[in-house]
Amino acid sequence: MFRELLEKISPYGFYTFSSYVIPWALLISFFLISYSFYNGLFVAPSDYQQGDAYRIMYVHVPSAWLSLFSYTVLFFCAVVSIIWRIKVFEILVVSSAKIGAFFTLLTLITGSIWGKPMWGTWWVWDARLTSELILFFIYISIIILNYSFDDYRKGARAASILAIIGFINIPIIHFSVEWWNTLHQGPSVMKFGTPSISTEMLIPLIYSAIGFTFYFIGAILLSARNMILIRERNKSWVKKI
Amino acid sequence: MNNFLVSITKEFALVKRSGYEAFVPIIYLFLIMLFFSIAIGYMSKNIFNELVPLFTWIACLLICILNIEKIFSDDFDDGTLEILLINFDVLEINILAKIFSHWMLSNFPIVIIAPIVTIVLGLDTNTALVLFISLLLGTPTLSLIGSIAAALTVGLKNNKILISIVVLPLYVPVLIFGTSAVNNSYLEMPYTSELYLLGILFLIFLLITPFACSKALKISLD
């Protein structure tokens, strides 16, 4: 069943489908992000300990969540492209790796801007920072491996194998790095029981996370569309556009 | 099993013909020790003693990726690899044999010589023993992970830097567990759980690697 469903996804069908999805995703993400930024930056009270510096959380936390979520997307696309060899998913592997690397870098940068007033340094060799940095390197190695092949389909499949190996390895790396050293403040949203963050701060954070996720969907589809247009530029349907 | 022995005998015959390959890692280990000791020479001697086992671990990582692309590149150049891919029921066993002989020639000399070197440099014998066990459990994992990257990049021309970029982030758990076992033993704290974890890592990658490698070889040669 899956096979028949997935084999119908041609580059042309993907192109027309994504041109319906992209405007909506970007529009929803624009409204959600601006709403949450307004509430988070102006309405929510300042923290009794961290002052106003905590407000960078509204960028930092969603991008950290997306840096992991996009690896999951990358993994599913990699599995599909290894098993069924579908062109669109091979392209989605590369584009989700790019967007994931971007969000990981954003997490690292906003985190170190937050860390300067809070911890007194730009960078600490703390468990979560280090595993995020390693995640960034894994993304970069997937992208570089993809582009070092002449034949782009070969490159995408090699990158998918590396992505699957990385998906097995990331929990191990995370666990081992936690074993090694930890200083980061404990998780305050995804905790069993009530979250240790006040509701006025939490609600804009949730909106911002959802908005960032919609932006992520739009960005992945946009970058995949670009790559499809470049790679299929000799086909007749691209020449019509 | 028979295939395994045949291909291992072939690999060792190749090495015996060329000669001195087994001594290269030992020389490399001495060179790395020399360089580290020169670089931190202005610090106190005690710090150097603490750092010696950690240098050994770093040296193992570097030696492992130094000639990891040799696992498949020689056979790729003379066409043996394609014949192996055609009769694919022996492929996984052959890959394991290649990885085993790579480990025997790159890291096994260090595993043997490292405890002696560290004792000479002033480490206590118990820590040297822990270093030996952790290297014995950890370095095969390095060869296993590295062989996947070597299989992925076998057809490419400038694959050396690419292999190290691909492989080094995946080496982090092995490095952490190995060095923390040695450190804990040096500080007289319990260290057995790290050794168990190294063993688990080895088993996980022993299960994954042959299949991942054969898939990667089929992709990069098709």
mmCIF file of all heavy atoms in Angstrom, chain A residues 111-125:
data_model
loop_
_atom_site.group_PDB
_atom_site.id
_atom_site.type_symbol
_atom_site.label_atom_id
_atom_site.label_comp_id
_atom_site.label_asym_id
_atom_site.label_seq_id
_atom_site.Cartn_x
_atom_site.Cartn_y
_atom_site.Cartn_z
ATOM 1 N N GLY A 111 22.011 30.466 22.058
ATOM 2 C CA GLY A 111 22.405 29.943 23.361
ATOM 3 C C GLY A 111 23.638 30.621 23.893
ATOM 4 O O GLY A 111 23.722 30.944 25.080
ATOM 5 N N SER A 112 24.605 30.901 23.014
ATOM 6 C CA SER A 112 25.821 31.524 23.540
ATOM 7 C C SER A 112 25.587 33.004 23.822
ATOM 8 O O SER A 112 26.210 33.560 24.732
ATOM 9 C CB SER A 112 26.989 31.314 22.592
ATOM 10 O OG SER A 112 26.932 32.206 21.542
ATOM 11 N N ILE A 113 24.640 33.644 23.093
ATOM 12 C CA ILE A 113 24.297 35.037 23.440
ATOM 13 C C ILE A 113 23.639 35.069 24.818
ATOM 14 O O ILE A 113 23.892 35.969 25.623
ATOM 15 C CB ILE A 113 23.359 35.624 22.366
ATOM 16 C CG1 ILE A 113 24.119 35.839 21.075
ATOM 17 C CG2 ILE A 113 22.767 36.938 22.831
ATOM 18 C CD1 ILE A 113 23.224 36.197 19.928
ATOM 19 N N TRP A 114 22.804 34.042 25.113
ATOM 20 C CA TRP A 114 22.162 33.973 26.421
ATOM 21 C C TRP A 114 23.175 33.631 27.504
ATOM 22 O O TRP A 114 23.099 34.107 28.628
ATOM 23 C CB TRP A 114 21.060 32.912 26.387
ATOM 24 C CG TRP A 114 20.365 32.703 27.672
ATOM 25 C CD1 TRP A 114 19.335 33.422 28.174
ATOM 26 C CD2 TRP A 114 20.652 31.700 28.643
ATOM 27 N NE1 TRP A 114 18.959 32.926 29.382
ATOM 28 C CE2 TRP A 114 19.756 31.872 29.695
ATOM 29 C CE3 TRP A 114 21.591 30.664 28.716
ATOM 30 C CZ2 TRP A 114 19.754 31.055 30.822
ATOM 31 C CZ3 TRP A 114 21.601 29.858 29.815
ATOM 32 C CH2 TRP A 114 20.682 30.052 30.856
ATOM 33 N N GLY A 115 24.156 32.781 27.133
ATOM 34 C CA GLY A 115 25.106 32.306 28.135
ATOM 35 C C GLY A 115 26.070 33.369 28.613
ATOM 36 O O GLY A 115 26.574 33.294 29.729
ATOM 37 N N LYS A 116 26.314 34.399 27.761
ATOM 38 C CA LYS A 116 27.290 35.420 28.159
ATOM 39 C C LYS A 116 26.864 36.165 29.423
ATOM 40 O O LYS A 116 27.636 36.236 30.381
ATOM 41 C CB LYS A 116 27.521 36.384 26.979
ATOM 42 C CG LYS A 116 28.524 37.479 27.262
ATOM 43 C CD LYS A 116 29.909 36.915 27.512
ATOM 44 C CE LYS A 116 30.870 38.043 27.835
ATOM 45 N NZ LYS A 116 32.121 37.538 28.420
ATOM 46 N N PRO A 117 25.625 36.722 29.514
ATOM 47 C CA PRO A 117 25.245 37.351 30.798
ATOM 48 C C PRO A 117 24.934 36.351 31.919
ATOM 49 O O PRO A 117 25.119 36.672 33.086
ATOM 50 C CB PRO A 117 24.000 38.174 30.443
ATOM 51 C CG PRO A 117 23.457 37.546 29.241
ATOM 52 C CD PRO A 117 24.611 37.000 28.485
ATOM 53 N N MET A 118 24.454 35.140 31.573
ATOM 54 C CA MET A 118 24.013 34.218 32.615
ATOM 55 C C MET A 118 25.162 33.445 33.230
ATOM 56 O O MET A 118 25.286 33.344 34.436
ATOM 57 C CB MET A 118 22.998 33.219 32.035
ATOM 58 C CG MET A 118 21.671 33.813 31.711
ATOM 59 S SD MET A 118 20.899 34.505 33.153
ATOM 60 C CE MET A 118 20.639 36.176 32.610
ATOM 61 N N TRP A 119 25.989 32.842 32.369
ATOM 62 C CA TRP A 119 27.079 32.018 32.877
ATOM 63 C C TRP A 119 28.409 32.767 32.889
ATOM 64 O O TRP A 119 29.376 32.284 33.459
ATOM 65 C CB TRP A 119 27.239 30.756 32.013
ATOM 66 C CG TRP A 119 26.092 29.811 32.105
ATOM 67 C CD1 TRP A 119 25.197 29.740 33.116
ATOM 68 C CD2 TRP A 119 25.718 28.812 31.167
ATOM 69 N NE1 TRP A 119 24.291 28.750 32.865
ATOM 70 C CE2 TRP A 119 24.578 28.164 31.674
ATOM 71 C CE3 TRP A 119 26.250 28.377 29.949
ATOM 72 C CZ2 TRP A 119 23.951 27.122 31.007
ATOM 73 C CZ3 TRP A 119 25.617 27.352 29.289
ATOM 74 C CH2 TRP A 119 24.472 26.736 29.814
ATOM 75 N N GLY A 120 28.473 33.917 32.179
ATOM 76 C CA GLY A 120 29.708 34.683 32.160
ATOM 77 C C GLY A 120 30.652 34.321 31.035
ATOM 78 O O GLY A 120 31.671 34.965 30.873
ATOM 79 N N THR A 121 30.320 33.291 30.242
ATOM 80 C CA THR A 121 31.167 32.957 29.096
ATOM 81 C C THR A 121 30.290 32.702 27.888
ATOM 82 O O THR A 121 29.111 32.401 28.012
ATOM 83 C CB THR A 121 32.003 31.680 29.335
ATOM 84 O OG1 THR A 121 31.113 30.654 29.768
ATOM 85 C CG2 THR A 121 33.073 31.899 30.350
ATOM 86 N N TRP A 122 30.912 32.829 26.718
ATOM 87 C CA TRP A 122 30.179 32.520 25.492
ATOM 88 C C TRP A 122 29.972 31.034 25.347
ATOM 89 O O TRP A 122 29.012 30.578 24.766
ATOM 90 C CB TRP A 122 30.930 33.043 24.265
ATOM 91 C CG TRP A 122 31.057 34.526 24.221
ATOM 92 C CD1 TRP A 122 32.191 35.240 24.490
ATOM 93 C CD2 TRP A 122 30.049 35.472 23.899
ATOM 94 N NE1 TRP A 122 31.933 36.567 24.347
ATOM 95 C CE2 TRP A 122 30.620 36.744 23.976
ATOM 96 C CE3 TRP A 122 28.700 35.379 23.538
ATOM 97 C CZ2 TRP A 122 29.928 37.905 23.725
ATOM 98 C CZ3 TRP A 122 27.996 36.526 23.282
ATOM 99 C CH2 TRP A 122 28.607 37.778 23.380
ATOM 100 N N TRP A 123 30.922 30.264 25.808
ATOM 101 C CA TRP A 123 30.893 28.836 25.519
ATOM 102 C C TRP A 123 31.360 28.052 26.734
ATOM 103 O O TRP A 123 32.352 28.397 27.355
ATOM 104 C CB TRP A 123 31.798 28.512 24.326
ATOM 105 C CG TRP A 123 31.703 27.089 23.941
ATOM 106 C CD1 TRP A 123 32.583 26.098 24.268
ATOM 107 C CD2 TRP A 123 30.668 26.466 23.201
ATOM 108 N NE1 TRP A 123 32.153 24.911 23.779
ATOM 109 C CE2 TRP A 123 30.976 25.109 23.111
ATOM 110 C CE3 TRP A 123 29.505 26.924 22.603
ATOM 111 C CZ2 TRP A 123 30.161 24.200 22.453
ATOM 112 C CZ3 TRP A 123 28.699 26.026 21.939
ATOM 113 C CH2 TRP A 123 29.034 24.676 21.869
ATOM 114 N N VAL A 124 30.620 27.015 27.080
ATOM 115 C CA VAL A 124 31.015 26.103 28.149
ATOM 116 C C VAL A 124 30.984 24.705 27.565
ATOM 117 O O VAL A 124 30.140 24.403 26.722
ATOM 118 C CB VAL A 124 30.024 26.160 29.335
ATOM 119 C CG1 VAL A 124 30.621 25.485 30.532
ATOM 120 C CG2 VAL A 124 29.640 27.563 29.650
ATOM 121 N N TRP A 125 31.892 23.842 28.021
ATOM 122 C CA TRP A 125 31.853 22.461 27.533
ATOM 123 C C TRP A 125 30.856 21.668 28.352
ATOM 124 O O TRP A 125 31.193 20.775 29.102
ATOM 125 C CB TRP A 125 33.230 21.816 27.564
ATOM 126 C CG TRP A 125 34.099 22.397 26.530
ATOM 127 C CD1 TRP A 125 35.125 23.251 26.725
ATOM 128 C CD2 TRP A 125 33.995 22.192 25.121
ATOM 129 N NE1 TRP A 125 35.663 23.601 25.523
ATOM 130 C CE2 TRP A 125 34.990 22.961 24.526
ATOM 131 C CE3 TRP A 125 33.152 21.446 24.300
ATOM 132 C CZ2 TRP A 125 35.172 23.001 23.155
ATOM 133 C CZ3 TRP A 125 33.334 21.493 22.938
ATOM 134 C CH2 TRP A 125 34.345 22.260 22.382
#
